[in-house]
Amino acid sequence: MGCGVDEVVAAFHRVAEVITAHRDELVDLDRAIGDGDHGENLTRGFTAVRASLDEGEHGSPAEVLKLVASTLISTVGGAAGPLYGTALLRAAKAVPDRVELGPEDVAAALAAALEGVVARGRAEAGDKTMVDALVPAVAAAERAVGDGGDTRAVLAAASAAAETGARETAPLVARKGRASYLGERSAGHLDPGARSTALVLGAFASPGPSPSRTPGKECEG
Amino acid sequence: MGCGVDEVVAAFHRVAEVITAHRDELVDLDRAIGDGDHGENLTRGFTAVRASLDEGEHGSPAEVLKLVASTLISTVGGAAGPLYGTALLRAAKAVPDRVELGPEDVAAALAAALEGVVARGRAEAGDKTMVDALVPAVAAAERAVGDGGDTRAVLAAASAAAETGARETAPLVARKGRASYLGERSAGHLDPGARSTALVLGAFASPGPSPSRTPGKECEG
Amino acid sequence: MKKILNDPSTVVTDALRGLALAHPELLRVSTDPAVVTRVEPTPPGAVAVVSGGGSGHEPLHSGFVGPGMLAAACPGPVFTSPTPDQVVAAVREVEAGGGALLVVKNYTGDVLNFETAAELLEAEGVEVRTVVVDDDVAVTDSSFTAGRRGVGGTVLVEKIVGAAAARGDSLDRCAEIAGRVNSQVRSMGLALSPCVVPHVGRPSFELGEDEIEIGIGIHGEPGRERIPLEPADGLVRRLLEPVLDDLPFASGDEVLLFTNSMGGTPPLELYLAHGIAERLLAERGIRVRRSLVGPYVTSLEMRGISVSVLRLDDELTALWDAPVRTTALNWGS
Amino acid sequence: MKKILNDPSTVVTDALRGLALAHPELLRVSTDPAVVTRVEPTPPGAVAVVSGGGSGHEPLHSGFVGPGMLAAACPGPVFTSPTPDQVVAAVREVEAGGGALLVVKNYTGDVLNFETAAELLEAEGVEVRTVVVDDDVAVTDSSFTAGRRGVGGTVLVEKIVGAAAARGDSLDRCAEIAGRVNSQVRSMGLALSPCVVPHVGRPSFELGEDEIEIGIGIHGEPGRERIPLEPADGLVRRLLEPVLDDLPFASGDEVLLFTNSMGGTPPLELYLAHGIAERLLAERGIRVRRSLVGPYVTSLEMRGISVSVLRLDDELTALWDAPVRTTALNWGS
Ligand SMILES: Nc1ncnc2c1ncn2[C@@H]1O[C@H](COP(=O)(O)OP(=O)(O)O)[C@@H](O)[C@H]1O
Ligand SMILES: Nc1ncnc2c1ncn2[C@@H]1O[C@H](COP(=O)(O)OP(=O)(O)O)[C@@H](O)[C@H]1O
Ligand SMILES: [Mg+2]
Ligand SMILES: [Mg+2]
Ligand SMILES: [Mg+2]
Ligand SMILES: [Mg+2]
């Protein structure tokens, strides 16, 4: 079995929880090379996501992805709002009528998300952005599918790769976004957007409990 | 012999020098219970006084006093400008046609100066203002005249009394001027205007050298 | 002390030079003595409203020179009242037979210097009236003080009497109106941080990390009390209650609410405070008919605000609404 | 962090409430989503000029809403671009058949959110053009950066294109004029002290006792270099030379000189800097035909200034002079 609509909803509740818990860390990362709002922006966005998820019934994973996307677009602002929003809209389009997301679906959704971010933000790998977390995540997910991994294994592989990718943004010199104004001085700091991307994928992959009224569920098999 | 026009000019050069040397002290005193400009105001004023004294010939002590008064009025501003100005205008009027100021003249000029300050500023002794330096100075000058003192002795007595009067403003609670806004909190600080009054009288009484092109002269006998 | 200046002793003249260059169509500036006059001449027989005071409170007063408000302003050194010469020179330049109304903030230095100027002008045959503004309720008005300080209310006096002069009111009438505004306005301020006078070079006072001064004067004079910082609701209430209780303002009053920045407070905080003040007034049944929000009576870079409330009648409201064209206030046609 | 506020997360809406109360005759404010529109409707067929960006730069943009300038502004959270919803809601409210011109400062967040909004609006059949303002010469404009930042020049673009829209210019013509202003204006700023974003609670950067940052961004982004404080003459030269060399401006050019406060710089220092800038321009044979001096593109309480120079032609000059009635810029009739 893969990831059904309830599991996707539960995963986004976990994401909201993780982002809120890491608000200050993300603020600090953004304060170092940006303007210090990334943690606040995403916390505001995912708090709104929680509320809109709680509002009604959800038909399919794609519908949930679309709802989360539009909520983020209309509440986050900054660079991250449209980028996360586009990513999730594209992910939704990649799995339009699935009832459950299997391993291939997860990999396809991730690849579509990356394409969306690149289409909007025109960043390349190495520019010190969230792209540097997504590129290895997509590659790892595709490798895991090729290795016959199940949904959970694909998510775990993507999450681990995103985390490494985020960590490896530290030495890079930013060439996109606000951090690019720093030039060489941006080196030596993690990119906040790459870090938050890793946190999002981590929350998707992990079976952590959800505090919401939607019962905690994780993607299975 | 008393104080001729050259001696009065020289005395004002000494005053200018002393005030400039004590600029920061007066700023600090005024900063504690006022707005910190007293030292700057008087330095600006007496710098202008030096320039106007250097400009031409002077007919009499009274003329010099009037010139200094009008220069101070037009350059000092703040409370001290009109008060010092009025004091010196009144002093000039008290010794209108003297060629030399004898002991009685000095005492009369000082008394007139005090009257002028009180007429303008409506402060009483004990209000923690320059009046608290002038009142004892006038009394001491009159006593010295009564004791048969010469001009120099009268100035010395006035100066010493003003200094004591200024020192004794410390415990007082201000009831006039900017320091009055502090209420009880004004106690424990010297009044800047009383301190500058003591400095002015001290410079008049002392034989310190004058740096100006007018040869240093002190009031004699 | 970090400031953008060349020499503390020339900061006022240097700034006046920039002011003249920026507003040639509106202002004419002399620097010896320092006087800012409006380009538009006083109509013959009209009253010339002239004000002045220490610099460092900009836009007060030079920013209020122009049609419908001041005919001239006399900027003293920073926080030091101007000298009588400046006032005499200003009045000589703008007086046009209708006499001069001097708007003076109630500080010993200002009062004495303007008083001296008035004596000199009267000796020259110029008719002069003076209104002394003393709207700051933070100071107890007793024989133990120099009396209440003139603060935010000054702008309202200058705007309203400027309009009266512009419509051709006589000197006596202008003096009456200016006095009326002063009698109907009350103000109080607070500081989050001190200011630094250029020629002093150090802060005018010290505040702890979380401390604020309630009742601050516009030269950094101390106020009523120091308290720990609290939310804006409480801060605005602490300013507004003494203001309202003093006149006192009553339910049914219609007022002008003026929320002023001391210089360093951003518009975001200022408008936020204004919204709170309006709500507190509504709770007391007081209706805000007119608003003014901005840095109009400042104290260099001081962070803080003041709130002024002026009880309006129809005449004052109409005079407030009358056209004005200055660098700081500008409306009507 | 000392600020006058109740809750960092509601500071923008709380301030908008105060703004609405202060200017009921001019502005209408919604808070969900946050949009400031002008009371005067867009004439049928005229272009609606709409801008927006993070809050904390007031009066930019809400202070420029009014006849002759913006039809609407979308204030984001402090230093965070608004969301597409806000822009869509604003345009829906003020667009009157002539299309909408979006004025966007060149920051990734602003560009992306306005881009998304433009796509949504075009899908609804609304004609939209966007001008991206990027006048800050402190940033190298290369493929290694997000491009130059939009700073002081934004006000000049908004004023001039607002006048073009008011005289009935078409959307294409407005877009051309806005682009022309952007191509002819260059800016650079410096900071004496940082600002504190309410939800961050700590200074955006640290500066030594005597240190200043040359080339600062309006969100506290770093500039070109940190240097010890020096006299104003040198500071203004450090801002002006890169500005003049960039376009480049040449002897004989006629310009608008805009000396801007980052928020916490008193008018005294600002006018002083303006006077110096005008003198330096004169030395290069550049004539200042128009001036603007004040806190118009701020960075909360940051102390510092920026200088913008716009090369004027007759059309831009006439559009600059055209009447405008907003809370921050107000002239003509
Ligand atoms: N052009 C881009 N492409 C991809 N990601 C980007 C781009 N620009 C910025 N980002 C990401 O956005 C993050 C910053 O987001 P946030 O702080 O919310 O927005 P802002 O920079 O507007 O304040 C950066 O850390 C980076 O990962
Ligand atoms: N009403 C008054 N009568 C006499 N002296 C006064 C009065 N008011 C103020 N002073 C004197 O003036 C001094 C302050 O002068 P100064 O600092 O130059 O003016 P300001 O208070 O305007 O800044 C006080 O220390 C006090 O001695
Ligand atoms: Mg950010
Ligand atoms: Mg003083
Ligand atoms: Mg003073
Ligand atoms: Mg941001």
Side-chain angles (χ1 to χ4, degrees), chain B residues 30 35 37 41 78-79 178, chain C residues 78-81 219:
Chain B
D30 196 30
D35 58 354
D37 58 0
N41 294 348
R178 209 176 283 281
Chain C
V78 174
F79 289 4
T80 298
S81 73
H219 309 89

Side-chain angles (χ1 to χ4, degrees), chain A residues 23 28 31 37 74 78 120 180, chain D residues 80-81 85 113 119 146 203:
Chain A
R23 176 192 174 283
D28 284 343
R31 201 170 149 257
D37 59 0
S74 64
R120 264 258 167 265
S180 69
Chain D
T80 298
S81 72
D85 303 40
N113 282 284
E119 287 166 15

Side-chain angles (χ1 to χ4, degrees), chain A residues 26-27 29-31 33-39 41 78-80 178-179 192, chain D residues 79-80 199:
Chain A
L26 294 172
V27 161
L29 290 177
D30 196 31
R31 201 170 149 257
I33 58 168
D35 57 356
D37 59 0
H38 190 58
N41 294 349
R178 210 175 281 281
Chain D
F79 289 5
T80 298
H199 62 249

